[in-house]
Amino acid sequence: MTNLLNESELKHILQGISIPPQPQILVDLQMEWAMPDPDMGFISSAISQDVSLSAAVLKFVNSAHFNLTTKITSIQQAVMMLGTDRLASILNSIAVKSELSDDNIKSLHNFWDTATDVATISASIADQLNFKFKDECYALGLFHNAGIPLMLKRFDGYKEVLQQGYQDPNFLLTDLENQAFKTNHSVVGYFLAKSWGLPKSCCSVIAKHHRIDRLFNNRVPGDGLYLTFAAILKMAEHIASVHKHIGEANKDYEWQQVGHYALDHLDLTEYDFEGMIEVCHEQGMGIA
């Protein structure tokens, strides 16, 4: 579509808009920092459940300051590399900037919950498949919808368009977003992930995560890894019932369209997938 926003226009309209951290997680972290001997395991776990905080620590360790030859995708590893003093400074800086109204907290509640659910389920699926990129799967699950809160904050009426897209049996979500706002949350999420220094694999899948039928139908040699990430992400979204909690839809119309691509790529049957869903629920993951 020729009327879509280009990269510079998109950066301009989103300038100054950021994803706020979850208030309760900030409180939990601040209480832990006040302890005589803060538990870094607890701190690492809490940070890994929040999109904003996870992005901040990953962006910092992957910056020129550390000059790493390989990008870090493990939030736990990033936390240990930062150390207590640097980490405290980053978290305090974010906390100062994150004053939210009750309405904003309520509007982002489902986003925060589903991001964490999809991340943990993605990591579980990677484990079950013996896929070695577990940390990347977690990061992809956590950040894949990061464009949604920015779209919510920037565009009036975005929530209604988002729900309309999820509730449409044809599932033309990104087309509807493009028509209404000249961009969509996948594109916004891609630029966010890129600015945060996430791996190319995560960024590429985020950019196209609502058009994975095109990824599978137009595959080229070397796409296998990206397709595996995309397949795991779609499975995790379906298990987490993202369609219900973000789109308020009764059915997962997207999964109906693309689920067979994911299962075929991973050489899984519907019965195999049901077994994986059961494992996730036994581990306390997923939303009914």
Side-chain angles (χ1 to χ4, degrees), residues 5-259:
L5 299 173
N6 61 38
E7 182 174 351
S8 62
E9 291 171 331
L10 185 59
K11 286 181 177 179
H12 176 71
I13 65 170
L14 295 176
Q15 188 174 9
I17 300 177
S18 60
I19 301 172
Q22 299 181 57
Q24 187 56 53
I25 287 183
L26 282 178
V27 171
D28 293 343
L29 287 169
Q30 288 167 349
M31 290 179 65
E32 188 61 34
W33 279 117
M35 301 294 286
D37 185 19
D39 183 344
M40 292 302 289
F42 173 85
I43 290 170
S44 176
S45 177
I47 290 173
S48 70
Q49 297 175 52
D50 186 88
V51 174
S52 177
L53 301 179
S54 295
V57 298
L58 288 177
K59 183 175 183 178
F60 194 86
V61 297
N62 287 315
S63 69
H65 180 85
F66 281 86
N67 196 28
L68 302 176
T69 57
T70 304
K71 288 186 181 294
I72 299 296
T73 56
S74 167
I75 295 155
Q76 289 75 16
Q77 186 177 355
V79 167
M80 297 309 296
M81 289 181 65
L82 285 171
T84 55
D85 292 340
R86 283 199 196 100
L87 192 59
S89 296
I90 292 171
L91 298 183
N92 287 336
S93 175
I94 293 173
V96 168
K97 296 178 181 178
S98 62
E99 296 183 1
L100 290 178
S101 68
D102 289 341
D103 287 343
N104 284 332
I105 292 172
K106 183 178 179 180
S107 69
L108 292 175
H109 180 74
N110 287 341
F111 163 75
W112 281 322
D113 283 349
T114 57
T116 304
D117 286 334
V118 174
T120 54
I121 292 170
S122 294
S124 174
I125 292 172
D127 256 349
Q128 294 181 58
L129 294 172
N130 293 317
F131 185 53
K132 66 179 181 179
F133 297 102
K134 178 179 176 180
D135 289 334
E136 286 86 344
C137 287
Y138 186 95
L140 175 60
L142 189 65
F143 297 126
H144 75 289
N145 271 337
I148 287 178
L150 270 66
M151 297 285 284
L152 280 169
K153 293 171 70 176
R154 175 61 182 85
F155 297 112
D156 292 336
Y158 177 71
K159 182 179 180 181
E160 289 72 24
V161 172
L162 182 69
Q163 292 175 350
Q164 181 185 351
Y166 271 102
Q167 293 167 16
D168 179 4
N170 294 316
F171 197 80
L172 301 174
L173 173 58
T174 52
D175 288 342
L176 290 175
E177 290 178 296
N178 288 339
Q179 291 167 13
F181 311 112
K182 297 186 180 181
T183 189
N184 63 74
H185 76 273
S186 298
V187 172
V188 173
Y190 166 79
F191 287 116
L192 276 176
K194 191 176 177 182
S195 72
W196 291 334
L198 295 186
K200 184 179 178 181
S201 56
C202 288
C203 296
S204 297
V205 175
I206 288 171
K208 302 173 182 176
H209 75 275
H210 284 308
R211 298 187 174 185
I212 70 162
D213 54 331
R214 300 183 187 183
L215 287 178
F216 284 96
N217 287 326
N218 301 309
R219 70 179 71 193
V220 297
D223 275 359
L225 185 63
Y226 291 175
L227 296 179
T228 299
F229 281 122
I232 289 174
L233 176 63
K234 289 297 113 179
M235 292 163 66
E237 283 190 306
H238 181 63
I239 296 171
S241 298
V242 170
H243 62 286
K244 292 182 181 178
H245 299 277
I246 286 187
E248 296 188 10
N250 293 324
K251 294 182 180 180
D252 191 348
Y253 293 117
E254 183 179 24
W255 178 255
Q256 290 180 4
Q257 291 186 6
V258 305

